[in-house]
Amino acid sequence: TDIWGLSDVFVAPSPAKGMEAAENVAYAAAMYIETFTTENDYINMGYGYTLGKVLNHIAMNVEKRLSIISLSGGVSCYLPDTESSIFNAKLYLMPAPLVVSSAEMAKAIIAEPSVQEVLMMHKLASTTIVGIGGMDATVVKSGTITKNDFRLLSMQNAVGDVLCHFYDKNGEPVGAELDNRLISTPLQTLKSLNRVIGVSAGSNKVDAILGALRAGLLDVLITDE
C-alpha cells in the first residue's frame, strides 16, 4: 500500500466458475462501507455496472440509514433493481445524462442550479466510492459513448476509466474531446474528496486498476484475487 499511497486494500476471493467477480467485490465494498460509516452519513457514488451492484448491496445489507450522492450524470445507473429497498436511503441524483453532444451543452448543464446543488454536496460526504472500468466498461457496452469515441480512445492507448474519464496505463488522461462533453466529477476534484474507494474485479481490469493507482486517484482499493 505504501507504493501507491493507499490506506487500505481489501482482496475478495475470486468467484467459483460461473459466478461474477463483480458480485463478490460489490458485496465486499458494501460491507467495507458498513464498517466505516455512521448513521446518516453521506456517500458519494460513482457510475457503472459494479457500482450499481454496490448500491443494491448497501440497500439490502447495510442497516444504517445513508444518503447517496451521485458523482455523475446517467440517472438510470443509480436506480434500484427490483430486489432492492434502496428507496429507504436518500438519493441525490445529478439530473443529467452522462455524455452530451457538445462541450457547450455540458457547460450549460453543469451550470444549472439543480446540478450545482449536487456538486456542492460532494465535499460533505465521509466516503467516496468509484468503479474502475476497462475498455469493455459499462459506458462502452451500453452505447453511452459512440464507436468513434471508443476508436479514438483506443488510438490514444486508453486502458480504462473512472467516472468515464479515460486514461492510459501510466494514469495520464486521454480523450480530451470526450472529457469536455461529460457531466461527471473531474478526476482532480475526485482526488480531493474523502476516503476514495476504488472497486474493480477481473483479470481484464489489471491495466485499468494500475492506471488509476498511478494517477493517485484512490485511498482504498477493493478488488478480487
Side-chain angles (χ1 to χ4, degrees):
T1 58
D2 289 345
I3 297 172
W4 306 113
L6 297 172
S7 62
D8 207 356
V9 175
F10 191 96
V11 180
S14 291
K17 190 174 182 181
M19 289 177 63
E20 285 189 283
E23 194 71 51
N24 272 19
V25 297
Y27 182 76
M31 293 304 95
Y32 190 92
I33 287 170
E34 167 77 16
T35 302
F36 287 97
T37 54
T38 58
E39 190 74 18
N40 297 316
D41 262 3
Y42 290 88
I43 308 294
N44 292 324
M45 182 72 66
Y47 179 96
Y49 175 74
T50 303
L51 268 289
K53 290 184 172 293
V54 173
L55 187 56
N56 281 288
H57 277 302
I58 289 172
M60 291 186 283
N61 299 303
V62 176
E63 294 182 5
K64 298 163 188 164
R65 187 169 178 81
L66 301 173
S67 293
I68 307 296
I69 310 167
S70 64
L71 285 166
S72 72
V75 172
S76 62
C77 176
Y78 296 99
L79 298 180
D81 65 25
T82 54
E83 298 176 358
S84 171
S85 57
I86 189 64
F87 286 114
N88 290 328
K90 186 90 171 174
L91 287 173
Y92 294 93
L93 300 182
M94 215 177 284
L98 176 59
V99 183
V100 295
S101 59
S102 68
E104 292 74 22
M105 182 172 288
K107 287 178 183 177
I109 291 173
I110 290 168
E112 283 291 316
S114 57
V115 175
Q116 282 295 311
E117 284 175 14
V118 176
L119 292 173
M120 293 295 289
M121 293 180 70
H122 290 154
K123 61 188 177 185
L124 303 175
S126 66
T127 302
T128 297
I129 184 162
V130 295
I132 304 168
M135 293 306 284
D136 57 350
T138 304
V139 289
V140 177
K141 289 178 179 175
S142 64
T144 303
I145 66 172
T146 67
K147 289 181 180 178
N148 284 340
D149 285 329
F150 181 72
R151 193 174 296 116
L152 185 57
L153 289 165
S154 298
M155 290 171 65
Q156 295 173 313
N157 300 313
V159 296
D161 81 289
V162 170
L163 298 175
C164 206
H165 300 288
F166 284 81
Y167 47 80
D168 65 20
K169 65 181 181 180
N170 297 313
E172 294 297 325
V174 299
E177 193 278 332
L178 172 63
D179 229 45
N180 290 333
R181 294 189 282 116
L182 294 179
I183 313 299
S184 184
T185 302
L187 296 184
Q188 279 303 117
T189 302
L190 179 67
K191 290 180 184 181
S192 71
L193 299 177
N194 294 321
R195 195 187 288 125
V196 179
I197 303 170
V199 182
S200 192
S203 56
N204 58 323
K205 302 290 177 62
V206 170
D207 286 342
I209 292 170
L210 280 171
L213 291 171
R214 288 169 177 151
L217 300 178
L218 309 177
D219 300 311
V220 176
L221 174 65
I222 299 177
T223 188
D224 69 323
E225 292 170 308

